[in-house]
Amino acid sequence: KVMNNNLELLFSGPQLRTFNYNFRFTPRDESEANEIRRIIKFFKKAMAPKRSEKKMFLESPHVFKLKYFFKNGRQHPFLNKIKMCALRSFDVEYTPDGSYMTYDDGSMTSYQVTMNFGELNPIYAEDFDDNSNDMGF
């Protein structure tokens, strides 16, 4: 409900937030290169829709619960909370230094990963706990 016409023009409805993350992976040895490959493959697979057993229907891809951790594994009190998210995009730059370079085993010398997550539900005023000592959403 909005009585003020100007306020009605400003409020078009709840919005779903997005979060962008960039990571640079630079393996120092073969085991780190293999771990980076597993990480990249995991996220590529997790964001893809699944087919039902009979391949007649598509099922939702994985969803993610993102948290900023602080001491003792608790939610960081000075950073925002994030609701459940879907991975909207996942991009890998295989030559972030501008040239093609590999180690002897063929792994790249560096990878730049860009991820975009989108919340599945909007933030409402009742989501905030006035009695907690955190930043909220």
Side-chain angles (χ1 to χ4, degrees):
K1 290 192 251 184
V2 178
M3 301 257 328
N4 181 338
N5 289 340
N6 293 329
L7 187 58
E8 188 174 345
L9 292 173
L10 293 174
F11 180 71
S12 61
Q15 302 293 316
L16 297 176
R17 301 182 301 173
T18 59
F19 301 92
N20 297 307
Y21 298 97
N22 297 303
F23 297 99
R24 177 79 172 241
F25 294 118
T26 305
R28 295 171 292 188
D29 57 35
E30 187 177 348
S31 67
E32 287 185 2
N34 289 331
E35 186 65 26
I36 291 167
R37 182 173 39 214
R38 283 190 289 273
I39 291 169
I40 291 171
K41 191 174 185 177
F42 168 80
F43 283 107
K44 284 181 173 183
K45 183 178 179 181
M47 71 177 291
K50 301 172 213 146
R51 292 192 291 181
S52 65
E53 192 174 314
K54 295 184 180 182
K55 298 184 175 31
M56 289 183 61
F57 300 102
L58 290 178
E59 297 176 2
S60 299
H62 289 287
V63 294
F64 297 88
K65 179 63 180 163
L66 306 178
K67 287 186 178 183
Y68 300 110
F69 288 109
F70 192 55
K71 296 177 182 177
N72 302 323
R74 294 185 180 156
Q75 174 80 31
H76 198 296
F78 291 96
L79 293 174
N80 61 299
K81 292 180 181 178
I82 302 172
K83 289 189 170 188
M84 291 298 287
C85 290
L87 182 55
R88 296 168 50 133
S89 68
F90 182 84
D91 299 308
V92 181
E93 173 64 44
Y94 295 96
T95 57
D97 297 318
S99 63
Y100 175 82
M101 291 187 294
T102 67
Y103 291 114
D104 288 338
D105 66 354
S107 66
M108 305 308 291
T109 57
S110 192
Y111 303 83
Q112 180 72 37
V113 172
T114 303
M115 309 168 87
N116 175 275
F117 290 91
E119 282 183 322
L120 300 175
N121 295 303
I123 304 300
Y124 297 105
E126 54 268 13
D127 292 330
F128 290 86
D129 182 3
D130 291 333
N131 297 321
S132 72
N133 192 25
D134 62 23
M135 189 63 69
F137 290 92

